[in-house]
Amino acid sequence: MTMPADPETDAARLRETMAQALAEKGVLTDPDWRQAVEAVPRHRFVPGFYLPADERDESGLTVWEPVTAELDYGRWLAAAYSDTTLITQFDGDETDWKNPTERHGGAPTSSSTLPSLVLRMWADADLQQGHTVLEIGTGTGYSTALACERLGSADVTSIEVDDRRLETAASALYDCGYTPTLAVADGLYGYWPEARFDRIVAACSFRAVPPALLAQARPGGKILLTLSGWLYGYARVLLTLAEDSTAEGQLLPGTVSFMSARTHAAPAFGNPAHWAAGIPDKPRAAQHSPKRITAATEEAFHLRFLAQSAVPDAQITTAGEVVHLVDVVTGSAATLTPHNCGWRVREGGPMRLWDRIERVLDAYDEADRPGPETFTLHVYDSGQHLRHPQMSGLPLPRP
């Protein structure tokens, strides 16, 4: 399809429309951030991306359709200025956007996060004029550009573990007149050359708070992170650094998830049937249904995160009606199978995985099912613990 002579005119109109929609949703209340949204041309950061097709393929996999200005100008520009996450990379593979093809399945490894979430992250971090900020996860560079527009490029540092992603983002940023400090670096270790920072904000998730980030924040500075685990439970936390380099902060409400930092991603665990074959055939009645942590509900999302504290190296998958838990670190495994109106569980290995999760679920119920915002994360030299006045401390895995 032939592109119009001046797509920038269409883009400017769509930016105003998107800003108005975000303001009506209550996401964009700060006039300075609204000015940034209306100024930053998101389409320049997403020359190509994937959108899901309406139907899955014959194998049940999601069909991802490539979208570029050349393939469908209207769809491309409308999506660029919608409140949608745009997937730009799968499985670490770069796409030839001059000749893209459909993808079937795959794990997204880079994206342009939906604008409302980008703005929510910057707002939750209490980013103010004069702050120096470290962004972990440059991605396409769109969120970096918003921060540059709001603070000025000199106060923004952004790091990205994927050198090809950073090269593309840098070109878009520089072409738009933004000149932040950019570097290829692993977010697990922050970026010492520009430390110390008033704010550190991560657009990826970690299994625990990386110690290097505490060391790179100023006393009184804030660190906004998404914490995750191999059960794919997530929680966001806003930490404030104390003078003694300890930090604490409450979990934030909501169901926000980010891709894992690549060094914290879950490992492949093999065939669930192989794990199940090694479990003794001594089932017991499960006290809790696995649906408590697998259901598509906000409470289950929260419970998966709490359960990870008890089994930090466990992963979960379903084959047919059987739910499998496997732990590649200890070799422990469990299976849960529907039985009459309940579930039966078999467990093997040095750690009784489902038994540990049930203890967390019992404590959660006894505490009257507290929400995320009632938990406080404490980070200090000897560990990282979630605390709740009615539940015992829940340790996070060592980073």
Side-chain angles (χ1 to χ4, degrees):
M1 178 176 178
T2 302
M3 289 178 60
D6 185 19
E8 299 303 326
T9 301
D10 292 337
R13 173 178 51 81
L14 290 172
R15 281 199 297 279
E16 291 180 4
T17 301
M18 183 176 73
Q20 181 61 33
L22 292 172
E24 290 173 356
K25 289 167 63 174
V27 175
L28 197 55
T29 58
D30 185 313
D32 291 326
W33 281 114
R34 179 159 184 166
Q35 184 277 328
V37 170
E38 292 178 347
V40 176
R42 190 186 187 205
H43 69 284
R44 303 269 291 274
F45 295 88
V46 285
F49 49 84
Y50 291 95
L51 292 176
D54 293 334
E55 296 183 0
R56 293 174 178 266
D57 68 11
E58 62 276 5
S59 300
L61 298 174
T62 299
V63 177
W64 294 96
E65 299 174 340
V67 181
T68 66
E70 290 74 18
L71 291 172
D72 189 334
Y73 170 78
R75 188 186 189 195
W76 167 72
L77 199 59
Y81 290 103
S82 65
D83 193 27
T84 305
T85 292
L86 305 174
I87 305 300
T88 55
Q89 186 192 72
F90 286 90
D91 303 315
D93 298 330
E94 287 297 315
T95 297
D96 177 6
W97 290 111
K98 294 182 179 179
N99 187 32
T101 58
E102 279 188 350
R103 292 193 65 105
H104 292 239
T109 48
S110 190
S111 67
S112 177
T113 303
L114 67 162
S116 61
L117 179 52
V118 172
L119 292 163
R120 179 178 171 185
M121 293 288 286
W122 288 134
D124 285 343
D126 190 26
L127 199 62
Q128 300 294 332
Q129 199 70 34
H131 283 162
T132 55
V133 60
L134 170 64
E135 177 191 41
I136 297 172
T138 312
T140 64
Y142 175 67
S143 62
T144 316
L146 288 174
C148 290
E149 186 69 35
R150 175 69 175 81
L151 300 177
S153 296
D155 287 332
V156 178
T157 298
S158 185
I159 60 174
E160 169 64 48
V161 71
D162 188 322
D163 59 342
R164 295 166 300 176
R165 291 281 83 211
L166 188 69
E167 182 179 358
T168 301
S171 294
L173 285 161
Y174 298 153
D175 286 348
C176 292
Y178 302 115
T179 56
T181 298
L182 301 174
V184 176
D186 189 329
L188 187 64
Y189 305 102
Y191 197 61
W192 283 101
E194 296 295 318
R196 298 190 176 188
F197 301 99
D198 296 299
R199 298 290 185 268
I200 298 176
V201 178
C204 60
S205 63
F206 297 99
R207 297 183 71 201
V209 180
L213 301 188
L214 297 185
Q216 292 175 33
R218 300 182 194 278
K222 296 183 179 181
I223 304 171
L224 180 64
L225 298 176
T226 300
L227 299 173
S228 65
W230 294 349
L231 289 183
Y232 295 101
Y234 297 84
R236 289 192 311 142
V237 63
L238 180 62
L239 296 166
T240 300
L241 191 72
E243 291 285 347
D244 62 358
S245 297
T246 63
E248 68 175 63
Q250 286 184 305
L251 300 190
L252 302 179
T255 55
V256 172
S257 60
F258 277 102
M259 299 173 193
S260 295
R262 296 189 186 183
T263 45
H264 278 195
F269 58 80
N271 187 336
H274 295 167
W275 290 83
I279 302 174
D281 191 18
K282 297 178 181 179
R284 66 170 175 85
Q287 301 303 310
H288 294 273
S289 164
K291 292 181 180 179
R292 291 202 64 184
I293 64 171
T294 61
T297 65
E298 191 164 327
E299 182 179 57
F301 188 93
H302 174 45
L303 279 175
R304 278 199 300 279
F305 178 73
L306 297 182
Q308 288 166 175
S309 65
V311 288
D313 302 314
Q315 298 182 64
I316 191 167
T317 189
T318 301
E321 293 186 305
V322 181
V323 177
H324 297 263
L325 285 162
V326 299
D327 182 331
V328 300
V329 176
T330 68
S332 304
T335 62
L336 291 110
T337 308
H339 181 75
N340 295 330
C341 294
W343 293 79
R344 286 193 176 276
V345 58
R346 294 188 303 127
E347 298 178 282
M351 184 184 294
R352 297 296 184 260
L353 300 176
W354 191 246
D355 180 69
R356 288 194 172 207
I357 290 176
E358 287 189 325
R359 284 184 236 164
V360 173
L361 295 176
D362 285 341
Y364 173 78
D365 290 341
E366 291 170 6
D368 200 22
R369 301 185 173 188
E373 63 279 3
T374 64
F375 289 82
T376 302
L377 178 63
H378 298 261
V379 185
Y380 39 88
D381 287 342
S382 58
Q384 305 182 21
H385 283 78
L386 279 175
R387 294 212 171 99
H388 186 275
Q390 295 173 277
M391 294 179 67
S392 59
L394 303 169
L396 295 183
R398 295 294 293 182

